[in-house]
Amino acid sequence: EVQLVESGGGLVQPGGSLRLSCAASGFSVSSYYMNWVRQAPGKGLEWVSVIYSADSTYYADSVKGRFTISRHNSNNTLYLQMNSLRPEDTAMYYCARGEIYDYWGQGTLVTVSS
Amino acid sequence: EIVMTQSPATLSVSPGERATLSCRASQSVSTNLAWYQQKPGQAPRLLIYYASTRATGIPARFSGSGSGTEFTLTISSLQSEDFAVYYCQQYNKWPPFTFGQGTRVEIK
């Protein structure tokens, strides 16, 4: 059974950092496109980042230069390192599998506030 | 960037009735279009991909159609569990992957 479980969210001050994790089971994260998608409170879905093939990566303009996506085959986990966080980064962060997002995690909440 | 526009923003429908949701792309996305359902407090769930292919376990009352820039999600007979927010998303030309702003289907 495919499962994605995010962790690492929390309350952080503006300018701070967090690392989100997405532990996968039932498949290998190295074999699929893997994405981060976020949803600000009461708002719609916003794609954040993708990692695919030989660890090629892309980022939304809103996070480029501040966020880094990576994956580790040893523990089958996807990561999102978030630096220089801003209040507008406050959102539920989901990991999702594939170019077509066929499986999603339950999300982890990031709150950026002083 | 391809902009996805959904209409209407809110759709009020009685149980058992048909619901028709629209999604328009700012340029052609071929049939590289997906629909997702999101209920309160839950992650989105894939309903339809390649514009008209139902995902695993999705009931036949959900159907998708369209190509190019105009797409439709139809729910043939609304059940109580179908009241939710629906998003379309293009994956034809990225980055970025882009979503519509969502259509809320509410009980009339």
Side-chain angles (χ1 to χ4, degrees), chain A residues 34-107:
Chain A
M34 294 297 299
N35 301 269
W36 288 99
V37 177
R38 68 184 180 183
Q39 186 170 36
K43 303 297 184 182
L45 300 170
E46 179 189 16
W47 171 78
V48 172
S49 183
V50 64
I51 186 168
Y52 67 105
S53 297
D55 288 351
S56 298
T57 59
Y58 283 111
Y59 300 90
D61 287 346
S62 57
V63 307
K64 201 173 297 181
R66 300 187 299 123
F67 289 11
T68 303
I69 190 171
S70 63
R71 56 189 172 186
H72 289 184
N73 298 338
S74 60
N75 58 2
N76 208 27
T77 299
L78 176 74
Y79 297 98
L80 186 68
Q81 177 67 44
M82 305 188 297
N83 299 329
S84 303
L85 282 161
R86 305 167 179 169
E88 56 264 35
D89 296 318
T90 294
M92 184 71 78
Y93 284 74
Y94 298 100
C95 58
R97 187 183 84 162
E99 192 175 9
I100 299 164
Y101 305 165
D102 57 355
Y103 286 93
W104 297 64
Q106 85 290 350

Side-chain angles (χ1 to χ4, degrees), chain B residues 78-94:
Chain B
L78 269 157
Q79 306 298 302
S80 58
E81 61 266 31
D82 301 335
F83 293 96
V85 179
Y86 294 83
Y87 295 94
C88 62
Q89 180 224 8
Q90 69 83 20
Y91 49 94
N92 186 64
K93 184 178 178 183
W94 56 271

